[in-house]
């Protein structure tokens, strides 16, 4: 009798254990389901957008296909998958395709190792370019292209090679850098649109451009010579300007002297004419006295200034005698005679 | 009973999930799938979504990346029509256009890239051999045939890639143009010679321009001075002419006029430190001769 009792006790214990296990299992399963559903919660960051793929296909219609920054929920894996795409922020790709190896000094450029590009006049130059872009067609960018930045970098290189190939080296290196940049910029825009890369090119930048170091000194010498030319021309221009100014001064002096002469001559002759007219009236009445008076007055004034005056007297016998020496001593200035 | 129901539900769920995993599959965005039945391709799918199939071993699925891949061709030497040896690297954007043919003829992306590389290389050499070096590199933009070269390459590669590999080459471009290493040294020598010539030209231009500027300035100066002298002469002549008008008054008595003029000249001429020798006959020094100088009516 004890055996069946023992069995019953054992069965009861097993049943109890199973009941408890099932209860626990039920809670665990419920918990797993809850955790599973919560694992579908996802956050889209500030500078990104996200697509949700449900069974591999983009879920939603129209604008709802794209999830902006914020907290979202979708079916967890393997039903749904979240694809994040960086947006809004301007992205940059730099191309070092046309740069030489760093720290290596050789007489030649090794293809594959030393990058460079050919100019329209078959010269070699090094350059570093960059493109700034924004992703505008997110579906194309995410699902149509395998590695969009790699494609864009190749397109940038392509535009650089194509545009540099028609610029002479002087223009590409110095005088028309902006034109070259603009040409590459528009070529890249054209290609990006034609190929439907889903990006908007913001700007292409030429970060650096230089001749190969093997010929850098020769290029520097040209710049020096050009500066020398400029300074010579500037000096000549300055000298020319100085000469012109001096000539203008000289011309003004000549004209002014001419005018002074005219004024003086007119005034002097006018005065003489006035004087003559006045004297003439008197002279007509008494010509001898007026003439002699004028002569004597003039002699008096004129001889008053003279230091040494000699009189020669001729006597009736025809001998000449030195008669008189007036004021032998020099007189002070302004002294009365 | 309750426990059995739970067990049954869980078991059923697991079984259903196992079956579903065997018969359902997804095609992801940007993916192409080929379904084979006993190894024979029977269906190709490029639209994303959930699809059904017979379970393994009846049907198998092969997934391919259906997006555009880029292929970078080798940077190697080729000859232009005019016999110039240049290095050109071409890249291409391609994608699987016919997945079933791709599976049968190529199989993997790596193999496709290998095949496309060979194709690209042979077409690059063929097309570049038809164009002169100046068609790639030219300061005359109108003579540059970049687009024509690329279009021709693309057309040739496109047709063959689609027919042979089920692959569509969507675009193609020249990424690098270079010269053989030994040539670069000669190019540098030429570049140096060109630079020296330009430097010399700049220097002589500077001299020449400076001389021209100075000469022009001298010429302008001379012109200006000549003009000014002429003007001054004109002004003086005008003064003389106006003076001559005033001289007319002297015609009333030219002798008196000359007498007055002489007086004026005499006064201006006799200055200090002059020595004058006069005759005692000169008035008023004739007074020194005594009676002889007395007025006649006083005698």
């Amino acid at each position: 009798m004890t055996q069946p009792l023992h069995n019953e006790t054992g069965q009861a214990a097993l049943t109890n254990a199973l009941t408890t296990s099932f209860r626990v299992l039920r809670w665990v399963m419920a918990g797993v389901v809850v955790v599973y559903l919560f694992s579908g919660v996802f956050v889209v960051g500030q500078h990104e957008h996200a697509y949700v793929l449900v069974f591999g296909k983009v879920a939603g219609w129209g604008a709802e296909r794209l999830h902006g920054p914020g907290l979202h929920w979708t079916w967890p894996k393997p039903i749904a998958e979240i694809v994040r795409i960086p947006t809004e922020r301007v992205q940059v790709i730099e191309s070092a395709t046309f740069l030489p190896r760093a720290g290596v000094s050789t007489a030649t450029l090794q293809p594959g190792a030393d990058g460079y590009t050919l100019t329209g006049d078959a010269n070699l130059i090094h350059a570093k370019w960059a493109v700034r872009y924004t992703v505008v067609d997110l579906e194309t960018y995410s699902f149509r292209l395998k590695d969009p930045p790699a494609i864009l970098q190749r397109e940038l290189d392509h535009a650089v090679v194509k545009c540099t190939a028609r610029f002479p080296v002087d223009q590409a290196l110095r005088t028309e850098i902006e034109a070259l940049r603009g040409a590459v910029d528009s070529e890249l825009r054209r290609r990006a649109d034609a190929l439907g890369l889903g990006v908007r090119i913001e700007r292409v930048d030429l970060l650096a451009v230089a001749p190969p170091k093997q010929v850098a000194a020769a290029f520097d010498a040209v710049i020096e010579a050009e500066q020398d030319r400029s300074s010579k021309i500037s000096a000549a221009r300055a000298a020319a300007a100085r000469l012109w100014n001096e000539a203008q001064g000289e011309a003004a002096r000549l004209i002014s002297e001419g005018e002074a002469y005219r004024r003086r001559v007119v005034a002097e002759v006018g005065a003489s004419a006035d004087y003559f007219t006045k004297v003439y009236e008197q002279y007509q009445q008494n010509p001898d006295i007026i003439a002699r008076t004028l002569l004597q007055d003039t002699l008096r004034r004129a001889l008053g200034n003279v230091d040494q005056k000699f009189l020669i007297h001729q006597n009736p016998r025809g001998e000449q005698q030195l008669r008189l020496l007036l004021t032998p001593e020099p007189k002070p200035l302004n002294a009365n005679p | 009973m309750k426990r059995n129901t739970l067990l049954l539900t869980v078991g059923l769920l697991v079984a259903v999930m196992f079956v579903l995993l065997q018969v359902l599959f997804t095609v992801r965005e940007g993916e192409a799938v080929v379904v084979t039945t006993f190894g024979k391709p029977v269906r190709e799918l490029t639209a994303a979504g959930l699809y059904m199939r017979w379970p393994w071993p009846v049907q198998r699925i092969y997934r391919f990346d259906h997006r555009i891949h880029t292929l970078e061709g080798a940077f190697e030497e080729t000859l232009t029509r005019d016999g110039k040896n240049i290095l050109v690297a071409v890249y291409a954007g391609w994608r699987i256009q016919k997945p079933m043919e791709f599976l049968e003829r190529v199989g993997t992306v790596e193999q496709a890239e290998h095949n496309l590389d060979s194709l690209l290389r042979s077409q690059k050499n063929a097309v570049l051999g038809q164009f002169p070096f100046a068609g790639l590199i030219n300061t005359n933009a109108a003579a540059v045939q970049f687009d024509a070269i690329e279009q021709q390459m693309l057309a040739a590669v496109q047709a063959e890639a689609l027919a042979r590999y089920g692959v569509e080459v969507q675009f193609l471009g020249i990424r690098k143009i270079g010269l053989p290493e030994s040539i670069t040294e000669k190019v540098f020598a030429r570049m140096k010679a060109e630079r020296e010539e330009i430097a010399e030209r700049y220097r002589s231009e500077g001299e020449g321009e400076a001389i021209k500027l100075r000469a022009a300035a001298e010429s302008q100066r001379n012109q200006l001075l000549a003009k000014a002298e002429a003007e001054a002469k004109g002004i003086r002549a005008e003064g003389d002419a106006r003076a001559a008008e005033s001289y007319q008054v002297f015609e009333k008595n030219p002798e008196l006029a000359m007498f007055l003029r002489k007086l004026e000249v005499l006064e201006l001429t006799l200055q200090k430190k002059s020595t004058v020798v006069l005759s005692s006959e000169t008035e008023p020094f004739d007074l020194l001769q005594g009676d002889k100088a007395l007025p006649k009516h006083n005698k």
Side-chain angles (χ1 to χ4, degrees), chain A residues 9-266:
Chain A
T9 315
Q11 264 183 350
L14 185 65
T15 308
N16 269 342
L18 276 173
T19 311
T20 312
S21 299
F22 273 114
R23 198 171 291 144
V24 169
L25 189 67
R26 206 162 52 196
W27 281 109
V28 167
M29 281 180 69
V32 165
V33 168
V34 169
V35 168
Y36 177 70
L37 291 176
F38 265 98
S39 73
V41 173
F42 65 99
V43 175
V44 177
Q46 201 185 351
H47 297 297
E48 62 180 14
H49 278 67
Y51 283 110
V52 172
L53 304 184
V54 175
F55 295 122
K57 190 177 182 177
V58 177
W61 296 99
E64 287 175 19
R65 288 160 75 88
L66 201 59
H67 295 74
L71 192 68
H72 303 277
W73 180 86
T74 186
W75 290 100
K77 284 185 177 179
I79 300 168
E81 181 194 346
I82 297 147
V83 179
R84 296 168 191 275
I85 309 116
T87 51
E88 292 171 16
R89 218 171 16 190
V90 174
Q91 297 174 63
V92 182
I93 291 176
E94 287 189 1
S95 170
T97 309
F98 310 111
L99 291 181
R101 281 170 293 177
V104 182
S105 186
T106 53
T108 57
L109 289 177
Q110 188 189 327
D114 295 307
Y116 57 86
T117 181
L118 277 161
T119 59
D121 48 2
N123 288 308
L124 313 178
I125 58 169
H126 297 302
K128 188 177 184 186
W129 291 80
V131 56
R132 285 187 283 145
Y133 68 97
T134 315
V135 180
V136 287
D137 183 347
L138 297 171
E139 284 199 46
T140 294
Y141 193 82
S142 316
F143 305 123
R144 207 182 134 245
L145 308 170
K146 192 184 175 201
D147 185 357
I151 295 177
L152 204 54
Q153 200 206 325
R154 280 165 179 79
E155 284 299 326
L156 173 63
D157 290 347
H158 170 258
V160 169
V161 166
K162 187 178 170 182
C163 296
T164 312
R166 58 173 199 259
F167 276 76
V169 67
D170 286 307
Q171 291 184 7
L173 282 177
R174 293 174 53 224
T175 58
E176 300 286 340
I177 290 176
E178 181 51 31
L180 174 61
R181 192 208 63 76
V184 173
D185 191 298
S186 54
E187 172 66 16
L188 187 60
R189 279 171 205 272
R190 189 185 67 77
R191 281 277 288 202
D193 288 345
L195 303 182
L197 298 183
V199 295
R200 183 177 62 236
I201 305 297
E202 302 293 345
R203 189 180 158 85
V204 169
D205 285 308
L206 175 51
L207 302 178
V209 63
K213 57 183 176 299
Q214 289 86 345
V215 290
F219 276 82
D220 290 345
V222 170
I223 294 169
E224 270 176 39
E226 204 174 7
Q227 281 169 351
D228 182 51
R229 177 180 71 171
S230 299
S231 61
K232 273 180 184 157
I233 291 172
S234 299
R237 284 215 177 97
R242 199 169 50 242
L243 203 64
W244 177 248
N245 290 337
E246 284 171 5
Q248 279 183 318
E250 178 70 12
R253 187 185 64 78
L254 286 171
I255 290 167
S256 148
E257 278 180 4
E259 279 168 349
Y261 171 84
R262 181 180 62 186
R263 279 196 299 274
R264 183 169 53 77
V265 165
V266 170

Side-chain angles (χ1 to χ4, degrees), chain A residues 15 19 22 29 53 55-58 81 83 97 107-112 116 118-124 142-146 151 153-155 157-158 161-162 165-166 168-170 191 195 212 214-215 218-219 222 225-226 228-229 232-233 236-237 240 243-244 247-248 250-251 254-255 258-259 261-262 265-266 269 272-273 275-277 280 283 291-292 294-296 298-299 301-303 305-313 333-334, chain B residues 2-3 6-7 10 26-30 48-50 65 67-70 72 75 87 91 136-139 141 146-147 150 170-179 181 184-185 187-188 190-192 194-195 198-199 202-203 205-207 209-210 213 217-218 220-221 224-225 228-229 231-232 235-236 238-240 242-243 246-247 249-250 252-253 256-257 259-260 263 266-267 270-280 282-283 285 288:
Chain A
T15 308
T19 311
F22 273 114
M29 281 180 69
L53 304 184
F55 295 122
K57 190 177 182 177
V58 177
E81 181 194 346
V83 179
T97 309
T108 57
L109 289 177
Q110 188 189 327
Y116 57 86
L118 277 161
T119 59
D121 48 2
N123 288 308
L124 313 178
S142 316
F143 305 123
R144 207 182 134 245
L145 308 170
K146 192 184 175 201
I151 295 177
Q153 200 206 325
R154 280 165 179 79
E155 284 299 326
D157 290 347
H158 170 258
V161 166
K162 187 178 170 182
R166 58 173 199 259
V169 67
D170 286 307
R191 281 277 288 202
L195 303 182
Q214 289 86 345
V215 290
F219 276 82
V222 170
E226 204 174 7
D228 182 51
R229 177 180 71 171
K232 273 180 184 157
I233 291 172
R237 284 215 177 97
L243 203 64
W244 177 248
Q248 279 183 318
E250 178 70 12
L254 286 171
I255 290 167
E259 279 168 349
Y261 171 84
R262 181 180 62 186
V265 165
V266 170
V269 175
S272 296
Y275 180 65
F276 173 83
T277 308
Y280 177 67
Y283 181 80
R292 291 170 78 172
L294 283 172
L295 174 64
Q296 285 171 31
T298 304
L299 276 175
R301 283 197 304 274
L303 292 174
N305 289 330
V306 171
D307 288 335
Q308 292 176 318
K309 299 169 258 270
F310 296 92
L311 274 181
I312 304 290
H313 177 66
L333 282 171
N334 301 328
Chain B
K2 203 178 169 187
R3 290 167 209 150
L6 183 69
L7 264 176
V10 171
T26 59
V27 176
R28 194 181 177 276
E29 294 280 358
L50 193 63
D65 193 336
R67 295 174 299 175
I68 296 172
H69 298 243
T70 42
E72 180 80 39
F75 189 40
L87 288 98
Y91 68 96
L136 281 167
I137 303 291
N138 206 318
T139 48
F146 235 88
D147 288 336
E150 287 177 347
Q170 295 210 333
F171 55 87
L172 171 152
I174 293 173
R175 192 188 177 197
K176 280 193 268 185
I177 300 179
L179 300 168
E181 190 173 358
T184 58
E185 201 169 359
V187 171
F188 288 151
R190 177 178 55 75
M191 284 172 84
K192 277 182 199 166
E194 276 176 12
R195 293 296 105 188
I198 293 168
Y202 281 158
R203 275 191 284 271
E205 269 177 16
E207 300 274 0
E209 196 65 24
L213 283 168
E218 290 276 355
Q220 280 179 334
R221 171 184 176 271
L224 182 68
L225 289 183
E229 268 169 17
E231 200 176 327
I235 293 166
R236 282 199 298 270
E238 193 189 319
D240 288 339
R242 279 172 60 186
S246 301
Y247 283 139
V249 81
F250 299 139
K252 289 179 185 169
N253 190 335
L256 176 64
F259 173 69
L260 291 176
L263 290 179
L266 180 72
E267 193 171 353
L270 292 182
Q271 296 296 329
K272 286 189 175 182
K273 292 187 183 173
S274 333
T275 300
V276 178
V277 180
L278 294 163
S279 164
S280 57
T282 311
E283 289 180 2
F285 302 103
L288 296 172

